[in-house]
Amino acid sequence: QPFMASGGKRVREEEPEEDVGPATKKKPDEKENNVLIYIMKNKLSSGHFNHLKQLAVRNGFSVSNTFSDDVTHIVTAVLSHDRVESITQRSIPNDVEVVSTECK
């Protein structure tokens, strides 16, 4: 059960980060797609990172633990495209979608 009672409040338990290798393997019943997501840990709490990773996998997407040429989407708490390039130390191709968890 993902919630614990704590003094009348519901508190979400943090689940430990699971190393799934370079990319998660798809289960046979998962939808086929060409999406490979890289979630940047920079500025994300470990709980938020794990939650985003679990959501992606639960919805049938592969998640890469490293940024590579195969990545199609980057999820980050960083607002600036230039800052993402600075952190990854790579130029982000135009066909890679960068999605920020933060509001501008």
Side-chain angles (χ1 to χ4, degrees), residues 9 21-22 35 41 63 67 75 82-83 85-86 88 99 103:
K9 296 180 183 177
V35 173
K41 293 182 183 181
V63 177
F67 183 65
V75 177
D82 291 337
R83 183 71 181 125
E85 288 184 338
S86 172
T88 60
V99 180
C103 296

Side-chain angles (χ1 to χ4, degrees), residues 5-83:
S6 174
K9 296 180 183 177
R10 293 174 64 112
V11 179
R12 191 168 209 25
E13 287 182 34
E14 283 195 23
E15 297 182 23
E17 181 178 339
E18 176 183 326
D19 184 16
V20 292
T24 58
K25 299 212 184 301
K26 292 183 181 182
K27 297 176 186 169
D29 61 335
E30 290 179 340
K31 61 186 172 191
E32 284 295 319
N33 60 51
N34 296 324
V35 173
L36 180 59
I37 300 171
Y38 171 61
I39 304 172
M40 291 179 60
K41 293 182 183 181
N42 192 309
K43 293 181 70 175
L44 287 176
S45 70
S46 63
H48 194 190
F49 172 82
N50 288 332
H51 178 70
L52 292 172
K53 189 173 181 179
Q54 289 171 356
L55 283 174
V57 171
R58 188 178 311 136
N59 284 291
F61 299 108
S62 294
V63 177
S64 175
N65 288 333
T66 58
F67 183 65
S68 70
D69 292 337
D70 297 327
V71 168
T72 60
H73 294 72
I74 298 173
V75 177
T76 178
V78 177
L79 290 173
S80 161
H81 191 272
D82 291 337
R83 183 71 181 125

